[in-house]
């Protein structure tokens, strides 16, 4: 098996932008997500050949990592709930379970018990939910002031929302956003 690459957020963003720019079919989105979070082209080719995945699963199921299934728009929520309760999926313990119809993606983090929903063509703007695919787990703050935690969470949500609904096409745009968030943090 090829070594998993450690990518920065810019590289992840560029790789996820391929999904938007090329209108990737629903059944291929899972592979593109894996590629975007560090899996090599060789690994992706192996998965497509049925190697390194659970062959009896209808979709993409990689033990300890990822579960993905394409479905119709009407059955997105129903399919996600079905996968969350599926014994085969639970036994494989993927970090993330995801479903897509090619336009929308729904995902669930088994460890954090958290749900994610976004338009597929906006995934490149809001992808932190999928960091566990790179073995980057969420940080849980200990011994911090509740007010500090609440303020940091609100600013992080504001930052994520601004990125999710606005185009930031250059380094300067992102730098300006970060300056704005910093200034908000230090407002009296």
């Amino acid at each position: 098996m090829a070594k998993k690459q450690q990518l920065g957020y810019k590289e992840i963003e560029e790789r996820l932008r391929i999904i938007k720019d090329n209108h990737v079919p629903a059944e291929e989105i899972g592979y593109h997500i894996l590629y975007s979070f560090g899996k090599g082209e060789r690994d992706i080719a192996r998965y497509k050949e049925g190697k390194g995945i659970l062959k009896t699963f209808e979709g993409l199921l990689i033990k300890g990592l990822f579960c993905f299934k394409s479905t119709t728009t009407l059955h997105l929520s129903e399919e996600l709930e079905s996968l969350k309760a599926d014994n085969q999926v639970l036994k494989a313990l993927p970090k993330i379970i995801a479903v897509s119809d090619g336009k929308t993606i729904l995902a669930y983090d088994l460890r954090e018990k958290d749900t994610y929903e976004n338009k597929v063509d906006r995934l490149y703007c809001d992808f932190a939910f999928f960091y566990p695919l790179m073995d980057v787990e969420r940080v849980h703050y200990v011994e911090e002031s509740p007010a500090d935690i609440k303020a940091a969470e609100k600013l992080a949500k504001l930052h994520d929302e601004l990125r999710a609904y606005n185009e930031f096409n250059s380094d300067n745009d992102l730098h300006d956003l970060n300056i704005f968030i910093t200034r908000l943090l230090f407002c009296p």
Side-chain angles (χ1 to χ4, degrees):
M1 182 165 37
K3 186 178 177 186
K4 189 164 54 170
Q5 304 170 35
Q6 285 297 328
L7 304 173
Y9 78 93
K10 288 231 176 256
E11 295 152 312
I12 296 169
E13 187 176 305
E14 287 171 14
R15 288 180 176 204
L16 286 171
R17 196 179 287 266
I18 292 169
I19 297 172
K20 175 189 177 202
D21 295 342
N22 296 323
H23 304 291
V24 173
E27 53 277 354
E28 293 288 316
I29 290 173
Y31 297 112
H32 278 278
I33 289 172
L34 288 171
Y35 173 71
S36 298
F37 286 91
K39 287 293 185 182
E41 290 179 16
R42 196 165 124 200
D43 286 325
I44 302 302
R46 287 180 66 244
Y47 297 148
K48 288 181 177 183
E49 292 170 4
K51 297 175 185 170
I53 64 171
L54 271 69
K55 293 179 184 179
T56 57
F57 181 75
E58 189 179 316
L60 175 64
L61 180 56
I62 303 166
K63 189 174 182 178
L65 185 65
F66 189 55
C67 174
F68 178 82
K69 192 170 184 182
S70 61
T71 188
T72 62
T73 304
L74 292 174
H75 296 101
L76 275 170
S77 296
E78 179 183 314
E79 190 64 48
L80 183 63
E81 291 303 316
S82 172
L83 291 175
K84 286 166 49 177
D86 186 307
N87 286 332
Q88 192 176 21
V89 173
L90 293 175
K91 189 175 178 182
L93 279 174
K95 294 176 182 179
I96 304 285
I97 298 171
V99 296
S100 180
D101 62 354
K103 294 179 183 132
T104 301
I105 185 162
L106 294 180
Y108 183 75
D109 185 323
L110 273 176
R111 290 176 177 89
E112 297 290 331
K113 309 285 188 243
D114 192 16
T115 306
Y116 172 87
E117 178 178 2
N118 203 352
K119 296 290 181 195
V120 170
D121 63 355
R122 300 293 299 162
L123 190 56
Y124 75 95
C125 298
D126 180 32
F127 53 80
F129 184 86
F130 294 95
Y131 277 146
L133 297 176
M134 291 177 53
D135 295 326
V136 176
E137 302 298 329
R138 291 189 188 166
V139 176
H140 296 281
Y141 299 99
V142 183
E143 296 183 37
E144 291 284 337
S145 162
D148 290 344
I149 294 170
K150 192 172 182 180
E153 288 173 349
K154 286 189 182 273
L155 284 174
K157 279 186 177 182
L158 174 62
H159 183 274
D160 291 345
E161 289 295 314
L162 288 170
R163 292 242 10 226
Y165 292 101
N166 294 285
E167 294 285 334
F168 293 96
N169 296 321
S170 70
D171 289 341
N172 286 338
D173 290 346
L174 287 174
H175 179 72
D176 290 346
L177 173 63
N178 291 334
I179 295 290
F180 173 70
I181 296 295
T182 304
R183 286 180 179 163
L184 282 178
L185 179 64
F186 293 106
C187 281

